[in-house]
Amino acid sequence: MTAPRLHPRALDALPPAVRRPAFDRRALRTGIVHLGLGAFARAHLAAVNDDALDAGAAADWGMHGVSLRHADVRGALLPQQGLYSLGLRDAAGTQTRIIGSVVSTAVAPEDPQAMVSAIAHADTRIVSLTVTEKGYCHDPATRALNLAHADIAHDLADALAPRSAIGFVVRGLQARCSEGGRPLTLLSLDNLPANGDTLRGLVLAFAERVDAQLARWIERECTFPNSMVDRIVPRSTEADLAAAQAALGMRDAAAVVAEPFLAWALEDRFAAGRPDWSAGGAQFVERAEPFEKLKLRMLNGAHSAIAYFGLQAGWATVDAAIAQPSLRRFIDALLRDEVAPTLATDLPGFDLDAYRAQLLQRFTNPALAHRTQQIAMDGSQKLPQRWLNTLRDRLAAGAPIDQLALALAAWCTHLRGHDETGQRYTLDDPLAAPLAALHERAASRPTAHQRAAEFTRFAPVFGDLADQPRLVAALSAALEALREHGVPATLERFAR
Ligand code: CS2
């Protein structure tokens, strides 16, 4: 017999252990338009928003979730009228709850004007984004709008059917400005440094090219709070959907799983109000930047290192990788010796040792099966803020960079498209073709020093670090060590 589908009418039939929304979903109206309704947003923003609604937030804080590319999330949520389950998992087991704050869903390319109208709508007071790093169509090293990006070029030329998140936002703001000009908050929830300021810079750069008056209106009426978001949310697999079905006694095609941990530090600069997300663990802060920097450099920096070593050595998940003593010792040393010292002055009194210990503990979560291959994707978009800003600070301080250089060497090595056993994989990166060409160019150089220098000249990632002498020296030593000794033995040598 096929299991029934999760649906508002079926909520009463759920097992008692499954928490469900306490608020009246039928009264919900859309106040938040969210771009990028992937697993992360469903396990973070929407879950916190549910907590706020449970705690009595007004019914006009429902969410309209929009996918910018694919129809699968909408396809899964539509028959469930927006309901889905969130399973919080660790070694102790799984806590399952139903999330109800998503009122409606859409797929932007099917009806671009509907998306523009949703941003312009008088009831919309927040437009939030989780579109991943590459969704900002910027130059990762400089964070400037990439005017050569095909979607940006298209969106500047064609006002009616945008493709990019930035294009949709600006065309939506243009309509909003001419339809009453109500203020709006634009909230980036992606892992970018100063994500609000970055989004603002990109939106204004696009808007200037459309209409300078529009750019002035945006500067006056819209806010872009910075925020640090944190929860580890792997992509859902068939096994996750099966586990959700077992817990619910019904089928949920949009189930997400995540770790129990959640953090969200954001600036309280909302142009048109907000729900009280502190009910779900959000922390409103004066400046989010120190928290972002901490999280990007420590958690995401460690994650990317685990991903590239793991991928090369054949450790398929984060917990399997961090269970390798050599990698665990190296990551601990990297965070302690080279990353944490760059953060101390920004966070006076903050216990960086406890934070590091907690991170390592989170990485050991055996119930997530977070794939190293998933984290390894889009490295060109991630490494500047995860490793290279740390590296710049270390260089400026005249401090050692050997461990950061080894992580970089693992990324450079991974560009060859196969692991240490010869197993091939596809480079998953918006710059995959130029990166593969870069690897080929570097590999053709006769000396390790020249190979390392070649890598550092890849401007979208390294920017002003091209040919930096200390970086080239450290990277060349690290590339050689990896080539000669392989991942596990090299990690042993580099973990002091
Ligand atoms: C990960 C992040 O895939 C990745 O690049 O590093 O998604 C990470 O799991 C989250 O930022 C944790 O908050």
Side-chain angles (χ1 to χ4, degrees):
M1 208 179 74
T2 51
R5 190 78 180 256
L6 177 63
H7 187 271
R9 276 195 309 274
L11 285 176
D12 289 342
L14 286 166
V18 177
R19 179 181 148 191
R20 59 211 81 179
F23 53 90
D24 178 8
R25 280 194 88 224
R26 285 162 311 183
L28 280 191
R29 290 211 320 273
T30 296
I32 304 170
V33 170
H34 183 78
L35 275 69
L37 197 59
F40 181 75
R42 305 211 297 286
H44 192 278
L45 169 67
V48 174
N49 203 44
D50 255 53
D51 288 331
L53 290 165
D54 271 353
D60 51 8
W61 286 117
M63 293 170 61
H64 174 60
V66 184
S67 300
L68 285 172
R69 300 252 178 276
H70 307 293
D72 50 348
V73 174
R74 192 268 318 270
L77 282 173
L78 201 59
Q80 304 176 184
Q81 294 198 4
L83 290 177
Y84 63 91
S85 65
L86 167 62
L88 300 182
R89 281 192 195 160
D90 60 16
T94 306
Q95 294 284 330
T96 305
R97 65 183 282 197
I98 303 294
I99 304 297
S101 60
V102 179
V103 179
S104 52
T105 50
V107 184
E110 288 178 2
D111 188 353
Q113 275 307 306
M115 175 72 204
V116 169
S117 305
I119 295 175
H121 199 284
D123 289 348
T124 302
R125 290 186 280 159
I126 297 174
V127 170
S128 49
L129 295 90
T130 50
V131 295
T132 80
E133 295 87 344
K134 66 173 171 258
Y136 290 78
C137 301
H138 65 328
D139 178 65
T142 62
R143 282 186 273 150
L145 185 64
N146 180 0
L147 294 167
H149 193 293
D151 290 349
I152 295 296
H154 170 274
D155 292 359
L156 280 169
D158 177 350
L160 293 179
R163 290 179 185 158
S164 69
I166 302 295
F168 273 116
V169 165
V170 176
R171 297 301 177 185
L173 291 176
Q174 192 176 20
R176 192 172 180 97
C177 178
S178 65
E179 292 167 23
R182 285 176 200 79
L184 184 71
T185 302
L186 294 115
L187 185 60
S188 166
L189 302 175
D190 282 294
N191 286 319
L192 296 170
N195 53 10
D197 296 343
T198 301
L199 175 62
R200 182 174 186 273
L202 298 169
V203 164
L204 288 175
F206 191 111
E208 288 288 355
R209 285 172 172 76
V210 170
D211 169 5
Q213 286 309 313
L214 172 63
R216 299 296 81 74
W217 176 82
I218 295 172
E219 282 175 336
R220 249 189 355 262
E221 301 296 342
C222 299
T223 58
F224 299 77
N226 293 304
S227 62
M228 177 277 283
V229 288
D230 192 5
R231 171 168 264 176
I232 295 174
V233 187
R235 187 182 296 137
S236 300
T237 61
E238 284 303 320
D240 296 327
L241 298 188
Q245 179 164 331
L248 302 172
M250 45 189 95
R251 202 161 78 79
D252 172 10
V256 282
V257 296
E259 63 172 343
F261 180 94
L262 178 138
W264 189 8
L266 70 167
E267 295 168 355
D268 203 356
R269 296 191 282 115
F270 285 75
R274 59 161 173 84
D276 183 9
W277 287 322
S278 58
Q283 198 191 345
F284 291 95
V285 296
E286 193 65 37
R287 279 181 62 240
E289 207 209 322
F291 299 93
E292 287 179 345
K293 199 164 150 185
L294 167 79
K295 191 258 171 175
L296 283 170
R297 293 185 180 193
M298 294 283 278
L299 186 149
N300 296 112
H303 243 178
S304 289
I306 293 168
Y308 299 115
F309 290 119
L311 210 55
Q312 281 308 303
W315 304 326
T317 61
V318 172
D319 63 305
I322 207 74
Q324 305 292 325
S326 61
L327 184 65
R328 190 184 171 102
R329 249 196 320 278
F330 174 80
I331 295 293
D332 195 34
L334 166 73
L335 296 179
R336 185 190 60 222
D337 301 339
E338 294 193 7
V339 184
T342 69
L343 298 163
T345 50
D346 277 336
L347 294 158
F350 184 85
D351 190 345
L352 282 161
D353 289 328
Y355 183 82
R356 188 180 87 246
Q358 185 190 39
L359 279 186
L360 287 168
Q361 188 53 38
R362 289 169 67 191
F363 295 153
T364 63
N365 189 332
L368 290 178
H370 197 188
R371 302 193 67 74
T372 45
Q373 189 152 25
Q374 186 188 341
I375 301 167
M377 67 189 273
D378 299 345
S380 69
Q381 314 292 303
K382 295 174 174 175
L383 299 196
Q385 58 273 18
R386 294 182 179 205
W387 296 346
L388 298 179
N389 288 344
T390 315
L391 201 119
R392 284 185 178 91
D393 286 353
R394 299 285 293 170
L395 289 172
I401 54 162
D402 305 329
Q403 295 165 340
L404 284 161
L406 182 60
L408 260 180
W411 175 72
C412 295
T413 305
H414 123 283
L415 299 178
R416 67 189 175 178
H418 65 85
D419 70 12
E420 289 190 334
T421 69
Q423 180 80 31
R424 300 205 63 82
Y425 51 77
T426 309
L427 269 191
D428 198 340
D429 193 298
L431 300 182
L435 286 171
L438 167 69
H439 187 273
E440 209 166 301
R441 223 166 35 248
S444 71
R445 301 283 182 195
T447 70
H449 189 273
Q450 287 169 343
R451 286 194 284 277
E454 189 68 52
F455 282 119
T456 68
R457 288 181 206 132
F458 192 73
V461 173
F462 289 90
D464 61 2
L465 288 169
D467 287 313
Q468 207 289 337
R470 284 189 53 213
L471 172 59
V472 172
L475 182 58
S476 125
L479 285 166
E480 275 307 277
L482 272 184
R483 198 159 69 112
E484 271 176 41
H485 308 289
V487 167
T490 305
L491 288 171
E492 291 289 356
R493 292 155 60 114
F494 277 69
R496 286 186 291 266

